[in-house]
Every structure is written in structure tokens, then in C-alpha cells.
Amino acid sequence: MNKTKNNKYMDRRDALKNMLAFIPLGGAFAGITAMGFRFITPKKRDVTRRIFTMHLNELPINASRKITDLRGKDLVLVRTGEREVKAMSTVCTHLGCTVYWQKDNQEFYCPCHAGRFDKNGNVVAGPPPAPLQTYHTEIEDDNVFIYFKDAEG
Amino acid sequence: MGLGTWLKQSFPVDQDALIELTAEPIPNHLKRWWWALGGTPLYMFTVQVITGIMLVFYYVPDTTQAYDSIAYITYTADYGWLIRSIHRWSSNIMIASLILHMMRVFFTRSYQPPRDINWMFGVVLFLLTLMFGFTGYSLVYEQMSYWAMQVGTGIAGATPFIGQWIADFMRGGSEIGQNTLTRFYIFHIVLLPLLLAMAVGVHVYLIRAHGVTELKFKGDENLKKKTFPLWPDHVFTELIMVSIIMILLLTLSLLFPVQLGDPANPNVTPLHIKPEWYFFAVFRWLKITNLMVGVLGPMVFLGILFFWPYIDRFFDKVFPGKEVGFWIGVLGMLTITVFTVWETFGH
Amino acid sequence: MATSLNTKRTIIGVLSVVFIVILLMALWKEVQHAMPDYKASPIVDEGTRHCISCHGEQGVGKVIVEQWKDSKHAEVGVGCLECHQAKKGDIDGYEHEGQFIATIVTPNDCAECHAEEAEQFTTSHHADAGMIMGSLDNVLAEVVEGHAAFMDGANPAAASGCWQCHGSRVQVQTDENGDAKYNDMGILLLDPKTWPNTGMGRINLDGSKGSCSACHNRHHFSIAQVRQPENCGKCHMGPDHPQLEIYNESKHGINFRAHREDMNLEAQPWIVGQDYSAAPTCATCHMSATPDQPVTHDVGDRISWTLRPKVSEKIDAAELAKYEAQGKPLPEDFLTWEQRRKGMQNVCYQCHTKIYVKNFYTQYDNSVHLYNDKFGKPALALMKALKKEGLITPIPFDDKIEWTYFFLWHHEGRRARMGASMMGPDYTQWHGNFEVAERFYMEMVPEVEELIDEGKKHGKTAQANRVYNLLDDILNSEMHKWFLGKTDPEEVARRKAASAEFRKRYSE
């Protein structure tokens, strides 16, 4: 039996034996901690889906329509041409508030920090760093589809 | 100033006192594995707190979402099945090791004064742990959960005088519903942990203050020292216990992962309803007696358990040398075992 | 007794390794049990969400929403209003919770997105399934079995029977003034004898023909469900056209059952030989894609014979005759029976060799010709004669022989032909040709003879004699003369010898 008078110093053999015993133990606990971390880290789903929105004949040229995703965020569809539709998110690119469409000055206005976007989503005033996010649209058989990225699990 | 000095200034720790603490001599009989049964439940409690906190990340205590959130944990979240299974198995093992610990203390008569109050704290700890099991199981809000709440609050309600009040308090009303779930949630993750932590604190303090009962075992008399060091010897023992427990928990979780039964249906009581195994004896007792006796019986049992140091001393005085206490203990264990086994195989 | 420190350390080391091993097993299990397919939540607009807020939550048709949530429609954002929204002026439309909707979704509505399928379907025979108003079957339902005027024209025999497969003509409930009736929630009331109904050839209020949900069960609209043989079997079964039973008897059906999990029924595309090869289903041959053909919703595109009528003919015969009579040229997209057969054979070639298929078609053609020539044409001629000569009344189904004949061609005769067409030999033989023969010789012939005698008794001697001559000609013909004992003597002798040989096996 080893006599350890003073737990500050151990001889080398002791140290090696200790390592052999405790490194695996430490590793095991590290492993289970890692599993625990995985558990509490939210799942990320990066799925882009092709969603049907409406028929082309429901959207006259230069008119816009609003659709909502189930998370409550609105998307705006604007028919910009004969067979061209632009889809924009209404989430302000500054800090995530929802913008209002102001018909009078044809602008999107963000109430949080007074950011402004024009009807194409480009920033015209205020702190937003980027234009409104657009979605890729596709017209098939007169049906308007958008490619919507679903990030939540 | 150097880093070490800076830290020492901010955290004035008495180095010598620390060394003295860690060099604490442990009586020899603690080298025996039976004596690890006290630390085991404490470690399991730690496991429960950690896994419990992790589960809280996903659990929703709403009657319409509880079941689904547990389904998410069990079937979807990464390692969710593992965390949940560990939590469930750990609760079972905690109670099992508690019972073994109580048996050890009982049959080694370590409850004698001045440790009588500590024994009572121990009984309280046991009851708190059972309440943990009861409230935790109800949170799953599957059929068994719901009907366990119904039966459990019903039993509480049958307590003389204060029963109605207790039942309403537990239920958060006169019916099982959202209020009940919220309350059980609060009990499980806030009130019971606080109470348990405080009671454990007192329990451990008292053990340290009184010193562990020194017992004499054959073969130990010849040892030169009557004690052995906490570090590294006893710590290693504890580490072995920890490893064994972790392996046991993981194995059980791998082989018997916890599943989900049918979601709670207030209109349909399942034909075969059973509580958790540690309630089997009480459950069977309730089946064979009327409500009054059914409720009073366990209360009497708990009363005897709680005041056991004094009852034991009484018997010692009246029947010296006959070791009545021992035989009562054996009888008690047998009764519980018989009822538990009866419930396991009967219906 | 106490364990030494060294030992303890060793134990810790060993246990830690065991701990790690078990952790690895947990890791393995986690990786295996990897997440089930992530089901994205549906994305729909406000209108649909309003529908769901009532119909999905408060239980008024809650399952509809549950099924829809699992469907492809929900995944791509097609919600309630995309199908149920009615246009201004639609007869079947009504106001409901701020929207103008129609209960029934017709092929016109589905055509908004599924234009090609709807068009193919509308020009197919399936869409015409409801055009049975003047048929004999209709007489059976409305006159013989049921009563059209019973209970204010409820027509139960048709409403619960024939029309459930063939399709009703949807009607609105009207009040005394002839105006449409609504209930107290403003919902348009449909005539209960015409709805609910998802018959294949339903005649809808918007003028369109058919019902896509006859096959594409709502609201799941599951592609796997629609490819299953049982789907077609809702209608294509039973004593008069047991296609499902024949398929189940055939090796095609047996293979399907044995290898169902390998059928890849959810796949898109679903091309035989590429995406699955275990067995063909109804859809495989009659509709689905092959490497050389696209999917078609016109189920007649690959059919060469029509096995429905009293005497089978090629499927394009009637159309061809029409064009000839009118002196018009054939349209460009006219599919001849040869072309259709080629289309079907293209499916066969995915699994079978050309010789195999050719020989099968020879067997099949021969079977149809046999039925036509031995029983189909003669029996039809007899019935025509009986009617023409007035030996039976003009009222359908009031003479026994009309029932006998109906069984012969409409039930047994079809079974014999269909059994041959889809390789169900028991249906060809015992449910088919055997019963045709029995019906003809043991029932029809005696009944004709009886009617001839009856006719003579009632002074219709000349007419009766004409029918007698016809019957005589038939029975003396090559295929029927055995019945009169006129089999050629060599053949009789040969059969006798063969029979003696056969009986030796059974020591009778």
C-alpha cells in the first residue's frame, strides 16, 4: 500500500498509475457531457421547400399580395412583369421587426428604428444594413411558387 | 502581482483548513461497501438535477403540450432518449439505494441518540424522494401519470381532518387539470429540490458533526490505525461507486430505454393501472382495505419509522437482550416485500 | 479486508474503460436511431388558417385537417381555399365565414394545377362512367330493383349502389319555388340522393365530368394509396367484372402481395423496371409511366379489346364506325387499337420478352374470339330474334330468359374474357367459360325452346318457327353440334379411349 504523507507530491509511478486510471474516467465524463450538450443544442433544419402561393391571374401586374407563414411573418408578392413575380420578406434586416407598407410614399417603414425600404426592398433610409430578403420565385403553368427556407426544427 | 497572488487575495481560502478537511480520517468500517449506500443517493440526486435541468430545456408543463414535448425528447432530440432514460432509471436506483441505506442504518442501529434526530431527517429525506418520484412521473401526462395523480390526490384527500385541504392544495382546485400539472411541476423542479437540498445539508452536517458511528468489525482490531484517509482512499472508493453507477445507468438506458404510453385521457381509466414499483406495497394495501384503514395503515407505518429510535429504545428497556427491534425490522421488511411481490404478479 | 489503493485505482481504470465502451454503444444507438424524416409544418395563407381554426381545432371535421397536414398539398402550401374557393357565379358556391366556397371539388378545380391529368381524365371512359342513364343497368336500378320515384325520387338502389361507383348527377336541394336551399349556417344543401358521392363519372354542378377523389382519396391524396390495386378494386370487382379478384389470383397479384415493401409506392417518378420491379399493379399497366411512356390518366389508352359488351369488339371500332358513317377523316390524335396494344405491350416488355408477350396476346385474342363466336354472337342473335318476333315482351327483365341472358353476357361472359385478359385462369375457366356454357346449354337453350312452344300455342307460329330455325342452325353448327349428339364418330372414339386411359389412374 502506498503511503502518501503529503498529497502535494507523488512519485512518478504513482503519477502514471493515476493517469491511467483517471484519464479514461475523465474522458468518459467528457463524453457524456458532450452528449448532454448535443441534447440541449437546438436542432437545425435547413430545408428549402417549394411552396405554392397563388395563381398568376390573381395577381395583376404591379399589384402586390401578402401571404403569411405559420410563424406569423408576412411575405409580400409583387408582380413585376408579365411572367415575373418578386417575393420579399417583411422582416427588417436591421434587428428583425416587421415592416409596414406605406401606400402613400410607396415605402416599407420599420417602426423600431425608422428604417425605410423602397418597393423593391432596397434600403432608402435608416440603419438597415441590407435590402429586404427576397425569395426565389418560379412560375409553372401559371402557378406562382416560391422557394422558402425553413430553418426551425 | 502574479495570478496566484491575485486569486488568493480575491478568494481568501485557508489552505491549512482545506488540507485538514481533505485529510479527514474515516473510520475503518467505511471501507466496507455497504457504507457507500449513503453517498449513492446523494450522487444520484446530482445526476437527477443535471439530467432534470437538461430535460427542462424541452419540457412544456401545459396539459396540451406536455406529452408532445416528452415525445420530442424521447424520439427526436439528439440523445433525448438517453437523458430521459437516465433520469428515469436514476430515480429508481436512487430510491432502491435509499431503501438499502435505511436498512443498513436500521440494522446497524446507527440511529441511536444523539443521532436520533438525524434519523428523522433521514425519514423526511426518504419521503421527499418518494414525492419526487410521484410528481415527476405525473409530468409525463400519459395515462398512468394522469390516473396516478387522481389516485394520489385522492389518497391524500382521505387523510383525516386536513385531507380535503391537502388534496385541493395539491390539485390546485377540486379537479385534476392544468393547475395540477403546473403545481406538480413547481413541486418537482423547485420546492422539492430546495427542501431536499436543505434536508440533505442538515443530514450530512449532522453526520460530520457527530462523526460516523464507529463500529467494530472482526479483523479490524488488528489494524494499527482505526481510520483511513479521505484522500485518496475514500475518494477512490467513491469514484468507483460513481463509475459503477454511471455504467449501470447507461446499461439500463441502453437495454430498457423509457418509452411513452398512451396520452392522458380523463375519460378512460386504463384497465391495468399500476404506480411505480416503490408504491406497490401501499397500492396493494389499498386494494385489500377500506379507504380509512387504507390511508391510516401507511400513516401508522411511517409514524413507527419516524419515531423508531424511541420505539426501539422502549423495546430495549422492556425486553432487554431480545433484540425486538431487529425482529420488528425483519417483519417490516418482509411485509413490504410480500405486498410488493403480491402487487407485481397479481391484478 | 479493505481494498488496497492500487487495487482501487485499477478498478477505477477498468470501470472507466467499461464506461467509455458503453458510451460508445449509446453513441451508436443514437446514430442508428437517427431522426425520422423531418415533417415540415404546412405554410398557408390567412384564409386557410381561418378554416383550420375551426375545422382543425374544434372538431368539425378535425380529421380532415389532420389528414391534410400529412399530405403533399400541405407541404407545398396548398390549403383549403386553393381547392374549395368558388368563383363568383358558381352554382355550387356559397358564403361561409367570409369566403365564397363550394363543398364539392371537381376536376375543373383540380385542373387549376393539374391541368394535364384533368384533361386526360375528362376525355377518358372513366369520366363517362356517369352516362349510364339509359343503360340496362340503370333500368335495373330504377325500375326492377328500386323505384325511381320512391320517397320523393330518392332512388336508393341507384343512389347507394350504382351511382356510388358510376357517379351521380349532383343536384342542389330546392324549395317549392325552385330556389336553392341553405341551412341555418348558410351552407348550400345538396340533394342527399346525389351527394355524398365520389363516383368516377359524377356529373358536377359546374358542368365538369368525374371526380378525382374517386381514386385520390381526400384529404391525404396519398400517391401510395392511389397506386394500390385495392384502390381500383372499389369498383372493378364483383360478379360482373372481377378485375381485382382476377389480379389477386394472377401471378402479378401474388408477386405484389409478396413484395409489397419493395414496390416503392411513394416514389416520384414511379417507372416500372427502374423505380420498382417486383410486380405490376393496375396502375402499372393501365396508367403509369414506363421508360418510354409518360403517365396517362386516360385509362383506355392501352386497351385493345373492349370486354364490356355482349359481343366484344376492338375498342376503337365504335369510334371508327362513327367517323366512317359521317365520312369524316380521323383526327390526328386518334388512337387505333393497334397503337393502344403497342402501348400496353410496352409495359409488358419491361419484364417480359417479346415472344412471351406475343404468345400471350395470341392466347388472349383466341379466348375472346371463342367467347364471341361460340356464345356471344349466337346468344345475342337469339335474343334479338325473340324480341323481333315478339316471343318475349318489350319490357326488359320481365321474362326469365332476359335474366338468363344478362347473366350470360354481363356476368359470366365478362368473367371469362377478363380472366383471360389478366391471367386469372380460374376466372377464365370455372367462373367463366364453364358457367357460360352451363348458362347457355342448361338454361338459355331450354328457355328458348319453351318460348318457341309458348309462341306456337299463342298463335305466333311463323315467328316461333323463325326463331326455331335460328336455334337449329346454331345447335347444328360445328361448335354446338355435340349437344345434339352429332360429334364426329372418330372424335367420339378418340375421347372414349382417352377417358379409359384417364380412369386407369384413379381405379374407378
Side-chain angles (χ1 to χ4, degrees):
Chain A
M1 198 153 89
N2 289 322
K3 289 195 169 90
T4 50
K5 290 203 170 76
N6 190 339
N7 66 356
K8 279 193 185 143
Y9 305 109
M10 287 187 186
D11 63 21
R12 210 172 270 168
R13 267 174 72 198
D14 248 357
L16 184 67
K17 283 192 198 159
N18 282 344
M19 273 206 313
L20 277 177
F22 295 115
I23 287 183
L25 190 66
F29 272 101
I32 204 166
T33 309
M35 287 181 180
F37 245 37
R38 267 293 287 276
F39 173 68
I40 59 178
T41 316
K43 281 178 140 15
K44 267 215 151 39
R45 289 293 134 220
D46 253 344
V47 181
T48 304
R49 292 186 293 152
R50 191 167 165 261
I51 311 276
F52 166 82
T53 56
M54 64 183 67
H55 297 295
L56 212 51
N57 50 23
E58 293 174 55
L59 191 60
I61 300 191
N62 283 333
S64 64
R65 266 271 293 255
K66 191 176 70 161
I67 61 171
T68 319
D69 71 24
L70 263 189
R71 268 170 275 142
K73 294 287 181 187
D74 291 341
L75 286 123
V76 172
L77 292 176
V78 184
R79 185 155 175 198
T80 49
E82 181 64 41
R83 292 191 78 75
E84 260 176 48
V85 174
K86 196 178 164 104
M88 282 180 289
S89 162
T90 56
V91 176
C92 181
T93 53
H94 181 221
L95 287 171
C97 296
T98 309
V99 300
Y100 287 87
W101 172 247
Q102 293 183 326
K103 225 164 150 185
D104 301 328
N105 44 8
Q106 293 279 294
E107 274 178 356
F108 292 104
Y109 170 73
C110 183
C112 290
H113 305 95
R116 289 183 182 280
F117 304 84
D118 68 11
K119 62 178 190 216
N120 289 321
N122 296 312
V123 184
V124 291
L132 291 174
Q133 184 193 0
T134 53
Y135 298 89
H136 177 67
T137 58
E138 200 177 84
I139 301 179
E140 190 189 288
D141 285 345
D142 284 358
N143 297 316
V144 181
F145 292 89
I146 65 169
Y147 283 81
F148 188 83
K149 198 160 173 204
D150 201 354
E152 281 303 299
Chain B
M1 97 173 54
L3 184 68
T5 325
W6 179 59
L7 283 174
K8 278 203 195 119
Q9 275 189 349
S10 306
F11 298 102
V13 169
D14 191 340
Q15 285 274 46
D16 294 318
L18 195 64
I19 292 174
E20 199 191 295
L21 222 66
T22 56
E24 156 113 2
I26 312 247
N28 276 342
H29 64 261
L30 253 136
K31 295 182 201 170
R32 291 180 150 65
W33 293 96
W34 274 103
W35 269 258
L37 286 168
T40 305
L42 182 60
Y43 178 67
M44 318 265 1
F45 181 56
T46 316
V47 170
Q48 291 300 77
V49 170
I50 295 176
T51 52
I53 289 177
M54 291 163 82
L55 290 171
V56 167
F57 270 75
Y58 292 111
Y59 177 73
V60 181
D62 177 292
T63 53
T64 59
Q65 297 183 65
Y67 184 86
D68 288 334
S69 66
I70 299 222
Y72 183 81
I73 291 171
T74 314
Y75 299 116
T76 309
D78 292 341
Y79 297 107
W81 60 275
L82 186 66
I83 306 292
R84 184 177 170 226
S85 299
I86 290 178
H87 196 79
R88 173 69 71 89
W89 278 113
S90 175
S91 80
N92 283 329
I93 290 172
M94 184 170 171
I95 293 177
S97 62
L98 262 180
I99 294 175
L100 291 173
H101 173 64
M102 285 170 74
M103 281 168 65
R104 195 282 292 164
V105 174
F106 183 95
F107 286 107
T108 59
R109 304 184 101 192
S110 308
Y111 46 77
Q112 286 172 328
R115 293 177 178 81
D116 45 338
I117 289 191
N118 204 16
W119 163 267
M120 297 195 284
F121 265 94
V123 175
V124 167
L125 282 171
F126 180 61
L127 287 174
L128 287 175
T129 311
L130 288 179
M131 298 242 63
F132 260 116
F134 176 63
T135 51
Y137 192 51
S138 295
L139 295 179
V140 179
Y141 225 65
E142 53 184 10
Q143 273 287 61
M144 289 300 176
S145 317
Y146 182 88
W147 294 103
M149 282 158 112
Q150 186 74 30
V151 173
T153 52
I155 294 175
T159 313
F161 308 119
I162 51 170
Q164 192 56 37
W165 186 88
I166 293 183
D168 285 346
F169 177 75
M170 285 173 79
R171 280 193 295 251
S174 49
E175 293 279 311
I176 307 268
Q178 177 58 54
N179 276 348
T180 321
L181 189 62
T182 310
R183 282 182 186 226
F184 273 49
Y185 190 53
I186 299 287
F187 295 153
H188 192 78
I189 74 168
V190 178
L191 282 179
L192 285 172
L194 277 178
L195 288 173
L196 194 82
M198 292 195 297
V200 166
V202 173
H203 194 71
V204 172
Y205 164 72
L206 285 175
I207 291 170
R208 301 294 321 277
H210 286 143
V212 182
T213 318
E214 276 191 31
L215 299 170
K216 296 194 175 71
F217 278 94
K218 247 204 274 208
D220 278 1
E221 309 99 9
N222 299 327
L223 284 173
K224 254 199 287 185
K225 281 206 177 132
K226 286 213 157 85
T227 62
F228 68 102
L230 176 74
W231 171 268
D233 299 69
H234 194 65
V235 171
F236 280 25
T237 310
E238 297 292 346
L239 282 177
I240 292 178
M241 284 309 299
V242 163
S243 305
I244 293 179
I245 291 169
M246 292 308 290
I247 291 173
L248 184 63
L249 283 176
L250 282 172
T251 311
L252 287 169
S253 300
L254 272 173
L255 290 176
F256 308 109
V258 182
Q259 304 288 356
L260 263 184
D262 292 324
N265 184 347
N267 290 323
V268 178
T269 309
L271 277 174
H272 296 292
I273 187 168
K274 274 196 202 298
E276 284 290 270
W277 61 271
Y278 37 88
F279 288 127
F280 273 9
V282 175
F283 197 57
R284 175 54 57 174
W285 173 253
L286 277 168
K287 282 185 187 173
I288 61 176
T289 58
N290 67 26
L291 187 57
M292 183 56 76
V293 176
V295 171
L296 282 181
M299 290 183 72
V300 166
F301 183 88
L302 282 172
I304 295 176
L305 195 67
F306 192 70
F307 292 110
W308 181 249
Y310 311 110
I311 300 175
D312 181 47
R313 198 165 47 171
F314 171 77
F315 280 120
D316 243 0
K317 281 214 185 92
V318 174
F319 304 105
K322 291 280 198 282
E323 306 218 29
V324 176
F326 173 81
W327 290 111
I328 293 182
V330 170
L331 183 67
M333 285 307 306
L334 270 176
T335 313
I336 304 262
T337 311
V338 163
F339 273 82
T340 305
V341 171
W342 186 3
E343 177 57 31
T344 312
F345 294 106
H347 40 175
Chain C
M1 229 240 77
T3 343
S4 80
L5 202 63
N6 253 345
T7 320
K8 281 193 196 168
R9 214 166 19 205
T10 319
I11 295 178
I12 290 179
V14 168
L15 287 178
S16 311
V17 172
V18 174
F19 189 171
I20 291 185
V21 166
I22 299 201
L23 269 185
L24 287 171
M25 282 167 37
L27 180 76
W28 170 240
K29 177 162 178 169
E30 169 65 22
V31 166
Q32 268 197 318
H33 130 121
M35 266 223 332
D37 274 316
Y38 165 61
K39 204 65 203 226
S41 44
I43 290 193
V44 288
D45 63 14
E46 209 174 297
T48 297
R49 274 189 298 149
H50 185 60
C51 307
I52 293 177
S53 70
C54 180
H55 289 279
E57 262 135 63
Q58 291 163 34
V60 192
K62 190 165 172 210
V63 170
I64 293 179
V65 176
E66 287 300 310
Q67 287 187 346
W68 166 82
K69 275 192 187 153
D70 283 336
S71 72
K72 193 82 200 287
H73 279 166
E75 211 179 294
V76 297
V78 174
C80 316
L81 292 173
E82 279 76 6
C83 298
H84 284 280
Q85 187 124 63
K87 299 192 193 55
K88 283 268 173 305
D90 279 355
I91 320 167
D92 54 346
Y94 55 90
E95 275 280 327
H96 182 69
E97 297 279 318
Q99 300 279 359
F100 193 65
I101 61 170
T103 308
I104 300 183
V105 178
T106 70
N108 271 359
D109 301 313
C110 306
E112 296 269 6
C113 299
H114 301 279
E116 206 181 313
E117 290 87 340
E119 208 202 296
Q120 288 169 347
F121 169 73
T122 309
T123 50
S124 78
H125 202 60
H126 265 169
D128 283 339
M131 309 298 211
I132 50 166
M133 301 312 177
S135 70
L136 263 184
D137 299 86
N138 199 50
V139 173
L140 273 174
E142 293 195 346
V143 179
V144 181
E145 305 164 22
H147 188 69
F150 178 70
M151 292 190 79
D152 286 330
N155 214 343
S160 300
C162 319
W163 293 348
Q164 291 296 325
C165 281
H166 283 270
S168 61
R169 169 175 251 121
V170 182
Q171 275 161 12
V172 166
Q173 271 187 48
T174 51
D175 58 18
E176 326 77 49
N177 303 332
D179 296 321
K181 269 164 83 172
Y182 298 80
N183 75 356
D184 50 13
M185 280 192 74
I187 297 179
L188 181 66
L189 292 173
L190 296 165
D191 190 338
K193 80 165 181 281
T194 66
W195 183 84
N197 184 291
T198 47
M200 187 62 93
R202 186 180 64 197
I203 297 164
N204 304 302
L205 286 166
D206 60 6
S208 61
K209 279 192 295 188
S211 160
C212 303
S213 50
C215 293
H216 293 275
N217 295 353
R218 46 176 199 251
H219 284 76
H220 258 133
F221 302 112
S222 153
I223 191 77
Q225 167 258 315
V226 91
R227 286 170 177 155
Q228 312 241 38
E230 289 84 346
N231 193 35
C232 315
K234 167 158 188 281
C235 301
H236 289 274
M237 52 84 75
D240 56 339
H241 39 53
Q243 285 99 339
L244 180 64
E245 293 91 321
I246 291 170
Y247 171 79
N248 283 342
E249 190 209 337
S250 74
K251 280 206 180 296
H252 288 161
I254 294 170
N255 271 4
F256 174 76
R257 239 143 222 89
H259 302 291
R260 207 174 189 128
E261 319 80 48
D262 299 328
M263 286 299 294
N264 212 3
L265 288 168
E266 304 261 6
Q268 193 72 280
W270 191 61
I271 298 179
V272 57
Q274 290 179 359
D275 301 293
Y276 66 101
S277 51
T281 62
C282 317
T284 308
C285 300
H286 294 282
M287 297 174 71
S288 298
T290 72
D292 317 296
Q293 296 179 84
V295 176
T296 171
H297 273 70
D298 187 334
V299 289
D301 274 353
R302 301 176 192 165
I303 306 274
S304 40
W305 282 111
T306 164
L307 303 176
R308 176 194 48 82
K310 299 161 178 154
V311 177
S312 275
E313 53 183 20
K314 289 299 192 312
I315 197 169
D316 58 349
E319 280 284 305
L320 272 175
K322 247 197 274 175
Y323 279 102
E324 263 184 49
Q326 294 171 349
K328 283 202 195 135
L330 288 174
E332 275 210 17
D333 57 355
F334 186 84
L335 273 178
T336 63
W337 73 265
E338 291 96 336
Q339 285 169 304
R340 294 175 200 243
R341 180 169 286 194
K342 278 215 171 52
M344 179 65 88
Q345 285 171 332
N346 174 259
V347 187
C348 311
Y349 294 152
Q350 302 311 314
C351 304
H352 297 286
T353 63
K354 293 217 165 107
I355 306 178
Y356 190 99
V357 174
K358 183 160 184 280
N359 280 18
F360 163 74
Y361 267 96
T362 308
Q363 288 176 353
Y364 173 33
D365 285 340
N366 287 345
S367 271
V368 178
H369 284 301
L370 175 70
Y371 164 80
N372 275 356
D373 294 343
K374 185 160 183 185
F375 296 106
K377 290 179 187 153
L380 181 61
L382 281 169
M383 292 306 291
K384 278 202 174 125
L386 285 169
K387 258 204 201 86
K388 178 162 170 260
E389 305 297 348
L391 295 183
I392 52 174
T393 73
I395 303 166
F397 292 112
D398 67 334
D399 295 291
K400 172 115 194 341
I401 198 170
E402 291 175 300
W403 291 82
T404 305
Y405 178 58
F406 190 75
F407 270 114
L408 186 139
W409 76 268
H410 189 277
H411 285 213
E412 292 133 7
R414 280 188 186 168
R415 295 203 289 260
R417 290 171 277 174
M418 290 171 182
S421 76
M422 299 213 302
M423 312 105 191
D426 197 84
Y427 282 87
T428 316
Q429 165 59 9
W430 296 114
H431 292 297
N433 288 324
F434 174 75
E435 291 185 331
V436 171
E438 198 256 356
R439 188 74 66 177
F440 183 80
Y441 291 116
M442 293 295 110
E443 292 185 34
M444 194 158 178
V445 166
E447 281 163 16
V448 172
E449 287 169 343
E450 229 182 86
L451 286 166
I452 292 171
D453 285 338
E454 282 284 314
K456 286 196 180 138
K457 274 203 210 120
H458 289 98
K460 293 189 177 159
T461 320
Q463 298 93 320
N465 277 332
R466 281 197 283 275
V467 177
Y468 175 79
N469 288 336
L470 176 62
L471 181 63
D472 198 48
D473 282 339
I474 291 173
L475 288 181
N476 274 296
S477 69
E478 187 61 35
M479 290 200 274
H480 291 282
K481 66 185 189 189
W482 70 271
F483 192 61
L484 302 174
K486 292 186 179 169
T487 315
D488 299 325
E490 319 93 63
E491 198 182 329
V492 175
R494 201 171 27 85
R495 289 200 178 272
K496 231 172 151 183
S499 167
E501 202 50 51
F502 185 80
R503 276 204 289 273
K504 276 204 203 125
R505 261 170 70 193
Y506 296 101
S507 56
E508 264 157 24

